[in-house]
Amino acid sequence: MLATVNQTRRWVFITLSVLFFLYVGLCLVFFSAQRSFIYFPTPIRPAHAAAISLVAPDATLRISTRPHDGTQALIYFGGNAEDVSYTLPAFASAFPDRAIYMLHYRGYSGSSGRPSEAALHRDAKTLFAMVHSKHPDTMVVGRSLGSGVAIRLAAAEPISRLVLITPFDSILTLAQRAAPFLPIGLLMRDTYQSWRSAPLVTAPTLIIAASHDELIPAESVQKLVRAFPPGVVSLRVLHDTDHNSVSESPDFMEAIKAAQ
């Protein structure tokens, strides 16, 4: 009997040890590969828009642009798999009186370096400094991942208008919801906690949400809305759209134009 009990204990110990090391291994895999779940760099394609180079201390960034003289400009930060050169023509048509600048993130479509939250925020501030020196009325638009870049920029710099398209309150929260069995708070380096920046934003802000967003839950959007100071933000939900099709709505560009 004693031998049977000892054998059972041994197998329980072995099983628990194997499960423990598998769990630790899963955590290590997530920790080392986490940025591959956030960033999907786009390849270099034939140019669909004019571009300039912006030299940062540790990278050279490609900026798709439509030049225009005058005080007004628009800076655009795209989604995590977006080649913004394809997006520029629609904005150039909608905003004929604004110069347009669209950042290709590090590692995307000809920009050097590797993307990270800290690096993208530094790049956004570098781009804003260059644009704002020429165009003091600078509007900022951020879509999906770009909303996290845009809102933190708006919290620190004197932008004139802010538009957030399919934004989230925090990538950390989204990851915790997707993998509740992992200690995400201890593992994630790029958390994009936009709700922390929202209280510091004073520029008039429009949030455009999709009615059937399969990636960003409605409660994430609502948490972000509640984080803004009173009277700063307005919410527009585009019906019969999802995370990717929201820009196909006939009301999409009209809503952005009305926000300027």
Side-chain angles (χ1 to χ4, degrees):
M1 173 66 79
L2 182 59
T4 301
V5 171
N6 289 336
Q7 186 175 18
T8 301
R9 288 176 176 173
R10 187 180 303 112
W11 280 110
V12 169
F13 175 78
I14 292 172
T15 301
L16 292 176
S17 298
V18 169
L19 292 175
F20 171 77
F21 285 111
L22 286 174
Y23 183 76
V24 171
L26 181 61
C27 290
L28 291 175
V29 169
F30 176 84
F31 181 78
S32 61
Q34 59 182 277
R35 284 181 174 145
S36 67
F37 302 131
I38 299 175
Y39 309 104
F40 298 89
T42 52
I44 300 176
R45 299 186 178 100
H48 283 261
I52 60 173
S53 294
L54 179 66
V55 179
D58 57 346
T60 300
L61 307 171
R62 181 183 173 198
I63 312 296
S64 286
T65 183
R66 195 282 308 277
H68 191 278
D69 293 332
T71 61
Q72 296 184 316
L74 183 151
I75 296 176
Y76 179 85
F77 302 109
N80 67 342
E82 182 177 355
D83 184 336
V84 296
S85 66
Y86 288 80
T87 305
L88 188 143
F91 276 84
S93 176
F95 295 91
D97 297 326
R98 287 186 181 270
I100 310 293
Y101 299 86
M102 297 192 165
L103 174 65
H104 294 263
Y105 301 136
R106 292 168 178 242
Y108 286 65
S109 306
S111 291
S112 65
R114 294 183 178 181
S116 70
E117 182 178 8
L120 265 57
H121 287 310
R122 289 197 304 271
D123 296 342
K125 295 192 72 167
T126 301
L127 175 59
F128 179 82
M130 184 268 289
V131 173
H132 194 251
S133 67
K134 302 176 182 178
H135 312 281
D137 179 358
T138 301
M139 176 180 180
V140 174
V141 180
R143 179 169 184 171
S144 193
L145 175 69
S147 71
V149 180
I151 192 172
R152 186 164 165 183
L153 179 68
E157 302 294 344
I159 74 167
S160 59
R161 298 288 189 277
L162 176 64
V163 177
L164 305 175
I165 304 163
T166 58
F168 45 79
D169 65 318
S170 167
I171 283 184
L172 174 64
T173 302
L174 297 178
Q176 288 171 330
R177 183 180 290 109
F181 49 87
L182 292 177
I184 296 295
L186 298 176
L187 298 175
M188 283 198 72
R189 290 175 287 183
D190 294 0
T191 59
Y192 290 94
Q193 298 188 68
S194 294
W195 65 273
R196 293 185 180 274
S197 297
L200 302 176
V201 175
T202 58
T205 299
L206 170 66
I207 289 179
I208 297 178
S211 61
H212 297 92
D213 197 318
E214 71 282 14
L215 298 180
I216 312 297
E219 56 266 30
S220 177
V221 179
Q222 289 296 333
K223 181 177 179 181
L224 180 61
V225 169
R226 292 193 298 269
F228 280 87
V232 168
V233 68
S234 59
L235 172 64
R236 178 77 180 273
V237 179
L238 299 187
H239 298 290
D240 300 320
T241 61
D242 59 29
H243 191 78
N244 292 318
S245 69
V246 66
S247 56
E248 299 172 11
S249 168
D251 298 324
F252 174 75
M253 196 60 75
E254 291 303 317
I256 300 175
K257 288 168 62 177
Q260 69 172 324

